[in-house]
């Protein structure tokens, strides 16, 4: 690349993709790749999706942008579809441009009604590239280290636990939960822990917000990651897969939050707020997923992907573990494997036609295929992964 920067922390291995079809990418030399990274986890229903394409073209033919004092019906329809998905009847939905924005918008809504109370979240949460949600200053946030909770054998979290009792609920006005990304490391807090936190926060009239930018839109085998837990959030931030590659995000506020806010809108505005093109894409994505039963499809494919990854992990001293939920998975390499060797494994997989995600300097490979991927492509990937890992074991002795 001469005219722009590569994505920070990543290695550009295929510089010129010229065509795509669902999960298949084709480069300028005619080489084909299966996209198991799914375009930075954004293309939830595949590249070059016809329904999304048609929605964009149709909307451009009508109106592509709105102003301060005029809107168009597709925004209202798409917002209604999002609210229905979440059971947020009587609430409000806004469309923005990125996951970072949707989280920040939700946090600003919380700040408007929390007064001086802090927002609680897990210490390994990632909420975006800027703003209050990114900074997580200690005077405004309570960061909870839940690492010891993974090994807990107690059936219920209580104030008798030294770890749980460290949560200062009297000072907490809201809980912002990321149900599975953990800054990209694909870790899932125990259900009993989350249920207890939600219960204690809501018992004090606190609010619950969920960051579904990565885990939403079918990624975990359900429409939203929070649906694996006993909870009903007041605010939900969405991004990535909700636009299938188009830069749109959404944030949904239930009726309770709307009532607490009163007549004033959330103090956040930008030029593409409630953009009709983005709204048209969101509507198309929701209709495609529901119309083709892609959530159920992802649940079935999850068993194939996770069984395969765990089999490869169990048979190799190079891999510590494989974990995941739905079509969100990660391979953690063993401690004795140097990060440069993980980067080489990544390059070999790409050279064999399978694109996975590797952040330079880490010992992990991530897979986030589209919900539309065929089962045979997953089987082929597992076979190639097993072969490449086996060859690396021989090479390393």
């Amino acid at each position: 690349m001469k005219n722009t920067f590569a994505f920070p922390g990543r290695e550009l291995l295929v510089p010129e993709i010229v065509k795509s079809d669902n999960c298949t990418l084709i480069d300028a030399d005619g080489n084909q790749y299966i996209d198991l990274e799914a375009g930075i986890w954004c293309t939830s229903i595949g590249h070059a999706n016809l329904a999304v394409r048609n929605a964009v073209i149709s909307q451009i033919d009508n109106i592509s942008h709105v102003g301060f004092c005029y809107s168009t019906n597709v925004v209202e329809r798409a917002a209604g579809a999002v609210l229905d998905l979440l059971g947020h009847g009587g609430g409000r939905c806004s469309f923005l441009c990125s996951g970072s924005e949707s989280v920040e918008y939700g946090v600003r809504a919380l700040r408007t009604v929390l007064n001086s109370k802090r927002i609680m979240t897990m210490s390994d949460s990632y909420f975006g590239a800027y703003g209050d949600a990114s900074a997580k200053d200690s005077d405004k946030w309570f960061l909870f280290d839940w690492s010891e909770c993974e090994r807990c054998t107690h059936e219920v979290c209580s104030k008798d636990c030294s770890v749980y009792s460290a949560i200062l609920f009297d000072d907490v006005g809201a809980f912002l939960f990321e149900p599975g990304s953990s800054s990209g490391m694909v870790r899932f807090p125990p259900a009993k822990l989350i249920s207890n936190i939600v219960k204690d926060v809501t018992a004090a009239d606190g609010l619950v917000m969920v960051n579904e930018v990565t885990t939403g839109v079918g990624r975990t085998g359900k429409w939203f990651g929070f649906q694996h837990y006993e909870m009903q959030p007041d605010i939900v931030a969405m991004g990535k897969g909700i636009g299938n590659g188009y830069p749109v995000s959404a944030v949904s506020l239930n009726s309770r939050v709307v009532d607490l806010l009163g007549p004033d809108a959330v103090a956040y505005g930008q030029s593409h707020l409630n953009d009709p093109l983005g709204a048209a894409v969101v509507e198309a994505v929701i209709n495609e997923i529901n119309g083709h039963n892609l959530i159920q499809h992802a649940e079935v494919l999850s068993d194939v992907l996770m069984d395969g990854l765990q089999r490869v992990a169990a048979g190799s001293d190079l891999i510590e573990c494989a974990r995941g939920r739905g079509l969100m998975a990660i391979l953690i390499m063993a401690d004795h494997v140097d990060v440069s060797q993980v980067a080489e494994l990544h390059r070999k997989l790409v050279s064999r036609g399978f694109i996975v995600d590797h952040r330079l300097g880490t010992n992990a490979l991530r897979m986030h295929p589209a919900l539309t991927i065929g089962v045979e492509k997953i089987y082929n990937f597992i076979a190639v992964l097993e072969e490449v890992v086996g060859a690396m074991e021989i090479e390393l002795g």
Side-chain angles (χ1 to χ4, degrees):
M1 279 187 159
K2 294 181 179 179
N3 298 325
T4 189
F5 295 109
F7 199 96
R10 262 66 175 191
E11 187 176 16
L12 182 64
L13 299 177
V14 187
E16 190 176 0
I17 295 296
V18 296
K19 191 171 179 58
S20 62
D21 180 18
N22 192 15
C23 297
T24 301
L25 307 174
I26 304 171
D27 70 13
D29 297 320
N31 301 307
Q32 295 192 12
Y33 308 85
I34 303 304
D35 185 6
L36 297 172
E37 179 200 279
I40 316 180
W41 329 311
C42 291
T43 50
S44 56
I45 55 175
H47 295 279
N49 182 277
L50 187 60
V52 173
R53 174 184 180 275
N54 289 342
V56 170
I57 291 173
S58 175
Q59 192 58 49
I60 286 175
D61 284 345
N62 293 320
I63 183 169
S64 59
H65 204 70
V66 294
F68 290 124
C69 66
Y70 62 94
S71 186
T72 186
N73 192 48
V74 68
V75 178
E76 186 71 3
R77 287 201 318 266
V82 171
L83 293 169
D84 287 345
L85 282 177
L86 292 160
H88 279 182
R92 296 288 186 272
C93 172
S94 292
F95 298 108
L96 302 146
C97 293
S98 73
S100 295
E101 271 199 292
S102 65
V103 175
E104 183 65 16
Y105 186 101
V107 168
R108 292 198 188 186
L110 289 176
R111 293 290 180 215
T112 302
V113 300
L114 286 186
N115 298 317
S116 60
K117 286 198 171 185
R118 290 195 286 178
I119 299 173
M120 174 186 172
T121 191
M122 303 310 197
S123 58
D124 58 351
S125 299
Y126 175 78
F127 295 141
Y130 73 99
D132 188 347
S134 175
K136 296 195 287 284
D137 292 333
S138 59
D139 59 331
K140 296 182 178 180
W141 292 80
F142 176 76
L143 305 183
F144 178 61
D145 182 357
W146 62 280
S147 55
E148 291 188 44
C149 302
E150 288 185 287
R151 300 180 294 274
C152 178
T153 57
H154 296 139
E155 293 184 5
V156 179
C157 302
S158 74
K159 300 297 175 60
D160 295 330
C161 168
S162 61
V163 176
Y164 194 76
S165 63
I167 302 174
L168 307 175
F169 284 106
D170 290 342
D171 189 36
V172 169
F175 175 45
L176 175 44
F177 180 43
E178 186 184 49
S181 182
S182 292
S183 294
M185 295 309 292
V186 190
R187 298 170 66 219
F188 305 96
K192 64 181 178 181
L193 171 64
I194 300 307
S195 294
N196 275 272
I197 291 173
V198 169
K199 181 185 69 176
D200 286 338
V201 168
T202 55
D205 290 327
L207 295 167
V208 176
M209 176 177 166
V210 177
N211 170 18
E212 293 282 359
V213 172
T214 298
T215 53
V217 196
R219 175 57 55 206
T220 66
K222 296 184 182 293
W223 252 106
F224 298 102
F226 76 80
Q227 291 169 335
H228 294 277
Y229 298 86
E230 295 180 6
M231 62 187 304
Q232 183 57 48
D234 301 292
I235 301 175
V236 178
M238 295 150 274
K240 294 190 183 293
I242 199 69
N244 199 52
Y246 185 88
V248 61
S249 60
V251 59
S252 180
L253 316 178
N254 69 7
S255 58
R256 180 190 174 198
V257 177
V258 171
D259 289 344
L260 288 170
L261 288 170
D264 296 328
V266 177
Y268 187 99
Q270 52 103 312
S271 301
H272 294 274
L273 182 66
N274 294 331
D275 167 43
L277 276 177
V281 169
V282 169
E283 184 179 46
V285 168
I286 292 173
N287 289 340
E288 277 289 282
I289 291 175
N290 286 337
H292 294 281
N293 297 315
L294 293 181
I295 304 296
Q296 295 87 340
H297 183 63
E299 281 190 284
V300 173
L301 293 183
S302 173
D303 292 337
V304 177
L305 177 61
M306 292 312 305
D307 286 351
L309 291 175
Q310 288 167 356
R311 188 187 74 245
V312 174
S316 173
D317 291 335
L318 299 182
I319 302 173
E320 177 187 317
C321 68
R323 59 176 178 257
R325 180 174 283 170
L327 292 178
M328 183 170 76
I330 193 168
L331 277 180
I332 304 294
M333 307 306 291
D335 288 341
H336 68 270
V337 179
D338 188 80
V339 292
S340 64
Q341 294 166 336
V342 183
E344 182 58 25
L345 175 60
H346 177 227
R347 294 184 199 106
K348 288 179 178 179
L349 287 171
V350 172
S351 71
R352 293 290 299 273
F354 292 95
I355 293 179
V356 299
D357 175 43
H358 175 242
R359 186 167 58 202
L360 292 174
T362 68
N363 69 337
L365 297 176
R366 292 185 291 181
M367 285 65 63
H368 294 71
L371 309 184
T372 50
I373 193 169
V375 67
E376 74 286 347
K377 289 182 170 57
I378 295 179
Y379 281 127
N380 291 342
F381 166 65
I382 296 298
V384 169
L385 175 66
E386 193 165 24
E387 181 184 331
V388 172
V389 168
M392 180 171 279
E393 283 185 313
I394 295 172
E395 180 183 329
L396 295 176

